[in-house]
Amino acid sequence: MAETSATTTGTGENDSRPRKASWKYIGPGIVVAATGVGAGDLVATLIAGSKFGYTLMWAAVIGCLVKISLAEAAGRWHLATGRTLFEGWRTLGSWTTVYFAVYVVIWGFVYGATAMSSSALPIVALFPDGPGLKTWAIVMGLVGLVFVWFNQYAVFEKVMTVLIGVMFVVVVYVAVRVGPDVGASVAGLAPVLPDGSLFYTLGLIGGVGGTITMAAYGYWVNAKGWNNSSWMKVMRLDNRVAYITTGIFVVAMLVVGAELLHSSQVALTKGDRGLIDLGQILEDRFGAVTAKLFLVGFFATSFSSLIGVWHGVSLMFADFVERIRAERATGGPSDAVEPGGALVGRQERSVPFRAYLLWLTFPPMTLLWLDEPFGLVIVYGVLGAFFMPFLSVTLLWLLNSGRTPREWRNGWLSNGMLAAAGLLFLVLCVQQVRDLPW
């Protein structure tokens, strides 16, 4: 649908003509997909495949549709309103600011250590005679810091595209190598819940690619230079390509779990180390070359998540700080402050952006030597569990209100998908909180 009002684009041109959806524009979606799929997600998918074979293939497809709906909603808010997601949250009340402020500080502290360790694990496995895990983890954190500090979005996107390309090729290659059962895969598209599979199913639908980086998608859309509704068709194509790619990852890992682990009843270690177990299994069955190739894919998966968070969540934090500062300077509410969507691409050199980069890198290094304190584990777990329901519900709220231009508000399909996502993530939230080591 053609837009009727002119809006300033990221190139500074006053142009509201709809852009034709084209493959040449694809980028932010690839970034959010590469960032959202971490090593722990792949292990969870492998375990689901090892326990239930192809039975939960349908859940992977539904999960792909849920992520497309959530990311599309976040991108649509940015493009339709010219405002960032944090600006939208501010209009819902100060409670959103309190939640985000506490969440982004504690989450960043714990996630930083997790991301560095995850990126170091495959390096240690590839070079067992080299430095230990802690040393490599610090190196990975510093490499991520330097890369994001000195490169802006265009270079960042190219590197992320290469990393997701490596991930894609390796995961699909391994799935083909183990020999998928096509008939069983097709049969797995029929919705079936085997005994004991409920939370594995919910986790498969909600887990892979479902993190704070979904909220960062709109920021990457703006950083790309897409700053008004003329880019809506482009954004939607970009988003669909990204999460279809993610869906292929999930299906491929289910195939590996079903074919390589289910029949032999091999158990993997939970968390990132489960991929080291899988590397050993691949070496025993297919040889060292396949195992090492898999470890390279493991590294691409983990390191893309690291630099994606270093960049995307730092953008969100910079927007958070600048909005608070602007409101204090004007003495007015968020609506009285100039929209910040067009500023996102220039925030990569800002002090808040770089301050959060440092927060993600250096304080978490202390956790590499210490077990995570009990209280920190609890707070981190609770805040993290609530984020995806928070995102789903607030997007429903924003996109059904007068804050969004009428033509870009939710239709029945978007409302249904966001409501289903909110309910799904709420159930997962309750389960995650119950599973915490109280």
Side-chain angles (χ1 to χ4, degrees), residues 296-315:
V296 171
F298 177 5
F299 171 77
T301 301
S302 298
F303 192 67
S304 64
S305 293
L306 185 152
I307 61 174
V309 166
W310 263 230
H311 188 274
V313 184
S314 296
L315 275 180

Side-chain angles (χ1 to χ4, degrees), residues 106 109-110 113 363-381 436-438:
I106 296 177
F109 181 52
V110 179
M365 289 179 182
T366 60
L367 295 181
L368 298 174
W369 277 269
L370 301 171
D371 289 331
E372 294 173 7
F374 176 79
L376 186 61
V377 171
I378 298 297
V379 176
Y380 171 77
L436 288 171
W438 297 98

Side-chain angles (χ1 to χ4, degrees), residues 186-274:
V186 174
L189 295 175
V192 175
L193 274 178
D195 290 342
S197 69
L198 177 60
F199 285 105
Y200 285 98
T201 303
L202 293 175
L204 192 58
I205 294 172
V208 180
T211 68
I212 189 175
T213 54
M214 296 197 72
Y217 178 59
Y219 289 83
W220 283 320
V221 162
N222 288 157
K224 179 78 168 176
W226 307 348
N227 291 308
N228 62 51
S229 55
S230 68
W231 292 98
M232 201 70 75
K233 287 184 179 179
V234 176
M235 180 275 293
R236 285 170 168 164
L237 174 65
D238 174 73
N239 175 46
R240 288 165 189 163
V241 169
Y243 279 101
I244 289 171
T245 303
T246 302
I248 293 172
F249 284 150
V250 178
V251 168
M253 294 309 282
L254 271 175
V255 167
V256 174
E259 294 293 340
L260 202 60
L261 308 176
H262 181 62
S263 57
S264 57
Q265 295 298 302
V266 175
L268 293 181
T269 305
K270 289 185 178 181
D272 300 345
R273 290 184 180 274

Side-chain angles (χ1 to χ4, degrees), residues 308-328:
V309 166
W310 263 230
H311 188 274
V313 184
S314 296
L315 275 180
M316 294 183 70
F317 182 78
D319 182 47
F320 163 73
V321 172
E322 290 183 13
R323 289 295 98 195
I324 298 298
R325 283 179 177 173
E327 288 179 28
R328 288 178 177 174

